[in-house]
Amino acid sequence: MGELRFQGGVAVITGAASGIGTGLARKAAALGMRLVLADVQERVLRDFAATLDGDVLAMPTDVADAASVERLAQNTYERFGSVDLLFNNAGVLTTGFSWQIEPERWKRSFDINFNGVLHGLRSFVPRLLKAGRPAHIVNTSSVGGFLPSPLMAPYSASKFAVLALTESLRAELEMLKAPVGVSLLAPGPVQSGIFNDPFGPQADPAAQAFVDSMRTLLTRHGLTPDAFAERVFASIARGQYWLIPQPEAFDEPFRQRNEDIAARRNPRPLW
Ligand SMILES: NC(=O)c1ccc[n+]([C@@H]2O[C@H](COP(=O)([O-])OP(=O)(O)OC[C@H]3O[C@@H](n4cnc5c(N)ncnc54)[C@H](O)[C@@H]3O)[C@@H](O)[C@H]2O)c1
């Protein structure tokens, strides 16, 4: 039945006001899904929601705050009564040398990138289990959640943590024979606002050069959020756990890294 099984269903998307979230929302709307869009950028979120046809609930939400995500779940169920697809998508990038990044910025990375996903699971999984009907959860990590990078350690570390959490979750839902599926999404470069504000009070020149090169990479080689969302939904419809829509950014470095670890070879230069 493929993507059509989502027709008329309900999709919840965090980080929906920008980039990948907007592509997922437009694709879900095109499939005839009803939407719950969540983001901290309230104004941008409402403006974006107004561009979509269909039944759309825009919920200002801070995924770093468990109570805010719980309100998101409550409002979702009050309005629509069920959830078919949950995208734990919100994320932020933090750059700099790992020892120079201030503790608050380290904490913020984990609060959003990891705890944001965890809060989504804590508020939605019990409701999905109680409903006992088919549903699917997509947690967003990154190619950087498999392949660490210099100058963005909080990002890499929090995305590695999402990888582990998501595999644990999948095994737990299998143990319970729950009808709730899980996928891990690892985007490569996608045109978005992720590199808009990655610095703390001081941008180190090396971090600035790194961010400039990443911005160029996204502009030149990044998929549009809409093209990216097409691939994501197609992979979900095929029942895939590993959603790796851009194998060209993943397969070879991932193979090399695994071979190096198996052979106890030291890491190759990453930069
Ligand atoms: N764009 C890429 O190349 C790329 C690559 C790998 C992974 N990702 C991941 O994809 C996801 C989406 O990122 P994007 O590239 O679309 O970036 P983006 O910056 O365009 O969008 C992220 C959205 O998350 C929202 N957000 C940030 N903090 C939040 C919070 N506390 N609560 C709720 N919403 C919050 C932002 O307001 C923004 O609208 C992120 O998890 C990111 O790490 C992106």
Side-chain angles (χ1 to χ4, degrees):
M1 210 160 55
E3 293 176 356
L4 288 179
R5 80 179 138 114
F6 296 123
Q7 208 165 25
V10 176
V12 179
I13 304 168
T14 69
S18 172
I20 290 173
T22 62
L24 296 173
R26 278 190 290 267
K27 174 65 186 174
L31 285 172
M33 298 191 81
R34 292 165 289 158
L35 297 183
V36 181
L37 306 182
D39 205 287
V40 269
Q41 298 188 72
E42 182 169 350
R43 182 65 194 272
V44 186
L45 178 70
R46 293 201 193 286
D47 287 351
F48 172 62
T51 67
L52 298 171
D53 292 330
D55 210 346
V56 182
L57 172 64
M59 273 286 298
T61 305
D62 179 0
V63 298
D65 174 4
S68 177
V69 178
E70 180 60 19
R71 276 196 298 280
L72 171 69
Q74 271 168 9
N75 281 297
T76 298
Y77 277 82
E78 269 168 36
R79 168 83 172 258
F80 294 122
S82 60
V83 169
D84 298 86
L85 262 179
L86 167 65
F87 288 97
N88 285 311
N89 164 73
V92 291
L93 189 92
T94 305
T95 58
F97 287 102
S98 43
W99 61 92
Q100 288 177 350
I101 294 170
E102 303 79 2
E104 314 82 65
R105 293 174 65 227
W106 267 98
K107 182 172 180 309
R108 179 169 177 266
S109 290
F110 274 82
D111 279 349
I112 297 172
N113 293 354
F114 179 75
N115 285 334
V117 174
L118 182 59
H119 294 150
L121 301 180
R122 287 186 49 78
S123 288
F124 281 91
V125 171
R127 290 172 163 98
L128 294 174
L129 292 177
K130 190 168 168 222
R133 50 191 289 281
H136 202 83
I137 300 169
V138 178
N139 289 343
T140 299
S141 174
S142 168
V143 165
F146 295 81
L147 303 165
S149 162
L151 295 169
M152 46 192 251
Y155 188 78
S156 297
S158 56
K159 294 295 188 177
F160 264 72
V162 171
L163 191 70
L165 169 63
T166 306
E167 275 174 80
S168 295
L169 170 73
R170 179 178 195 267
E172 289 161 1
L173 292 172
E174 268 183 1
M175 281 169 69
L176 296 177
K177 299 193 178 6
V180 180
V182 179
S183 294
L184 185 284
L185 176 57
V190 180
Q191 292 164 15
S192 80
I194 193 86
F195 282 98
N196 283 359
D197 183 26
F199 301 116
Q202 286 164 353
D204 181 279
Q208 180 68 63
F210 172 75
V211 166
D212 288 347
S213 74
M214 294 306 279
R215 282 185 182 140
T216 306
L217 177 76
L218 288 203
T219 315
R220 289 213 189 127
H221 303 294
L223 281 184
T224 64
D226 290 330
F228 182 76
E230 286 294 333
R231 296 186 188 186
V232 172
F233 272 82
S235 298
I236 298 171
R238 282 196 295 273
Q240 290 183 323
Y241 173 80
W242 301 108
L243 306 182
I244 303 180
Q246 295 148 287
E248 63 281 6
F250 178 84
D251 287 355
E252 186 54 22
F254 181 66
R255 186 190 61 74
Q256 284 180 0
R257 175 176 156 78
N258 283 341
E259 281 179 10
D260 287 348
I261 294 170
R264 309 294 187 272
R265 275 194 297 268
N266 290 351
R268 296 165 197 229
L270 292 167
W271 185 242

